[in-house]
Every structure is written in C-alpha cells, then in structure tokens.
C-alpha cells in the first residue's frame, strides 16, 4: 500500500466564519487530487461549520485534552472533536509546548486520547536553533519521538524545526532528508508512519521539499491562510504510486 501524502494546514489562532469560503476552493482541488490527503485545522470555534463545508478535505483540531470530559475549563476533548465531525488533531505543536509548557509525556497522552476517540493524531517534534547549531538535533528529536509517540496504532509525525516555524527560514534539503530518514529508522513501524515537514513551507520551496524520499507531506502555517498559496503547495505535491506502506 502506498504511503499517502498529507498536506495539512494549521490556521492557528486565525479565522472567522467569513473565512471559511476558503474551503470551497480547496475542496474542488481535493477532488482532483484524490491521491493525497488534504487537511485544514481551523480554530475550534469553526470546526463544526468547517466540517459541513469540507467535502473531501479533512478537518482537524489544533489540540485536545488528555481526558474525555471533566472539570477542565477552556479545554476540549478528543471525543468532542470527533463529535464535531473532525478527522484529526495536531498535538505537541511547538507553540503549545512553549506557550503552555506541554511535556512529551502529555503530548503522548493527548495522541493516545485522539486515537481512542478515532482521530488521527499529528504529533509535532523539532529541535531549537541552538540544538542544531550545537550538533544535538537528532538526539533531541529522537528523544521527543521516543517519549511523545504512542506505542501502537496510526499517527503522523510532523518534523518542525522550531527555528523554521513562521520565520521564513527553512531547513536545507539535506537536513530535512537526513532528519526524516533518522526519524523513520527510529520508529518501530517506520515504513507505515507518515512523516511531514513543517517550517516556512511556501509555494516557492514546496516542490523540492515534497520530492524528498522520506517526506510524506507538509504541515503548513502561514501559507495555509492564503488560498492561492495553499493550493499551489497542494499542486506541487508529487503523485506517488508505488511505495510500500
Ligand atoms: C506551523 O505552524 O506548524 C508552521 C509550520 O508554520 P509556518 O508554515 O508558518 O512556518
């Protein structure tokens, strides 16, 4: 079975109901690229409406709580996200690890909660600029993978070097290829797990990044807010046919 590419947009804390017209255009594109998975993670306020407009586009949340319900003011559970009709949830984004002090153990519990609710967790990992400069990018990411990922079941990893997120800087193709190969080798069922790259993916660099062997798609922040840019990135994704999954 081929490992399907996933082109995933993350709107972060952006988007009002009036912005959901975006989905009409992307839904059209999604029908013409049935070889790919395409997703948008809008803010939680828009999940339900987005699901109604999504067509073949998958809808995701940007975080979930580790518990199914309870006294956790302001949080939403994976069951609630599933109930809203969504398909996936991003967990462990570096902005959440940073803004909310989320640990790898919490990220893993969130990923397991997502799996239990029938959602696909997209687990973010990535090194700081100093980690790369000082030669420990692989050990940091290896540790994050070992402690953030569930022991079984399906999930997606998004490798996002923190210094490349929202900065306009991207890792070199060699660094991306090397890290993705390292991540795949460190996973127990590495051939079946999709590994996305994230960090300033734009229309002008998407084609060369997505052409790399171990890159199975992209997690996209800024460029997923502009329909022309997001559509151009989808169009840049290669058609994969003969890969083992
Ligand atoms: C992200 O938020 O996951 C991300 C990769 O953002 P950007 O594409 O803006 O760097």
């Amino acid at each position: 079975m081929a490992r399907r590419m996933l082109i995933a947009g993350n709107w972060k804390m952006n988007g009002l109901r009036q912005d959901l017209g975006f989905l009409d255009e992307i839904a059209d594109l999604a029908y013409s690229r049935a070889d790919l998975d395409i997703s948008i993670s809008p803010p939680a306020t828009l999940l339900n409406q987005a699901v109604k407009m999504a067509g073949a586009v998958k809808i995701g949340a940007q975080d979930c709580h580790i518990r199914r319900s309870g006294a956790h003011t302001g949080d939403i559970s994976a069951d609630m996200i599933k109930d809203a009709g969504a398909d996936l949830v991003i967990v462990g984004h570096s902005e959440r690890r940073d803004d909310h002090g989320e640990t790898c153990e919490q990220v893993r519990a969130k990923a397991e909660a997502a799996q239990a609710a029938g959602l696909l967790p997209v687990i973010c990992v990535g090194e700081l600029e100093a980690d790369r400069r000082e030669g420990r990018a692989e050990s940091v990411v290896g540790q994050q993978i070992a402690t953030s990922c569930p022991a079984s079941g399906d999930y997606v990893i998004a490798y996002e070097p923190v210094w490349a997120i929202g900065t306009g800087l991207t890792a070199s193709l060699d660094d991306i290829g090397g890290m993705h190969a390292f991540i795949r080798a460190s996973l127990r069922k590495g051939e079946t797990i999709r590994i996305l790259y994230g960090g300033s993916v734009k229309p002008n660099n998407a084609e060369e990044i997505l052409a790399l062997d171990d890159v199975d798609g992209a997690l996209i922040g800024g460029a997923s807010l502009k329909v022309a840019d997001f559509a151009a990135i989808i169009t840049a994704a290669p058609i994969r046919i003969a890969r083992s999954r």
Side-chain angles (χ1 to χ4, degrees), residues 10 12 93 95 160 164-166 198-202 219-222:
N10 171 18
K12 311 191 182 190
H93 191 282
E95 288 156 10
E160 302 202 297
I165 296 178
S200 298
V201 176
K202 306 285 179 201
L219 181 56
I220 301 148

Side-chain angles (χ1 to χ4, degrees), residues 4-12 20 22-31 33-43 47 50-51 53-62 81 85-91 119-124 156-158 160 194 196-197 216-227 229-231 233-235 237:
R4 280 169 71 84
M5 284 233 162
L6 169 61
I7 307 296
N10 171 18
W11 281 8
K12 311 191 182 190
L20 286 174
F22 178 104
L23 284 173
D24 290 334
E25 278 183 63
I26 298 301
D28 284 347
L29 196 51
Y31 283 117
R33 286 299 306 263
D35 58 302
L36 299 173
D37 288 333
I38 299 169
S39 72
I40 289 289
S41 290
L47 277 179
V51 164
M53 299 175 65
V57 177
K58 295 181 186 302
I59 297 298
Q62 299 174 14
I81 294 164
D87 303 288
L88 58 92
V89 57
I90 298 168
V91 293
L119 296 168
L120 178 67
V122 177
I123 304 165
C124 301
V156 171
I157 291 176
E160 302 202 297
R194 289 181 284 182
L196 315 185
Y197 171 76
D216 303 315
L219 181 56
I220 301 148
S224 74
L225 295 171
K226 295 187 196 133
V227 74
D229 286 0
F230 194 59
I233 293 170
I234 293 167
T235 307

Side-chain angles (χ1 to χ4, degrees), residues 180-203:
H180 279 235
F182 167 77
I183 293 171
R184 195 167 308 288
S186 60
L187 294 169
R188 208 159 47 83
K189 288 192 175 164
E191 277 310 307
T192 70
I193 298 292
R194 289 181 284 182
I195 307 173
L196 315 185
Y197 171 76
S200 298
V201 176
K202 306 285 179 201

Side-chain angles (χ1 to χ4, degrees), residues 62-166:
Q62 299 174 14
D63 179 50
C64 67
H65 198 273
I66 62 174
R67 307 248 177 262
R68 302 186 75 169
S69 61
H72 302 287
T73 303
D75 283 313
I76 55 174
S77 73
D79 284 1
M80 292 168 177
I81 294 164
K82 181 72 178 174
D83 184 54
D87 303 288
L88 58 92
V89 57
I90 298 168
V91 293
H93 191 282
S94 64
E95 288 156 10
R96 291 208 58 89
R97 290 180 189 256
D98 196 34
D99 292 355
H100 301 272
E102 287 185 8
T103 64
C104 288
E105 290 69 25
Q106 286 169 324
V107 172
R108 179 184 179 141
K110 288 178 181 216
E112 288 170 349
Q115 288 178 329
L119 296 168
L120 178 67
V122 177
I123 304 165
C124 301
V125 296
E127 82 282 2
L128 300 174
E129 205 267 329
D131 296 325
R132 181 155 287 278
R133 196 178 53 240
E134 291 160 24
R136 51 173 188 267
E138 283 192 356
S139 64
V140 166
V141 170
Q143 181 65 14
Q144 289 174 337
I145 299 275
T147 47
S148 303
C149 295
S152 59
D154 198 16
Y155 55 87
V156 171
I157 291 176
Y159 165 58
E160 302 202 297
V162 177
W163 49 271
I165 296 178

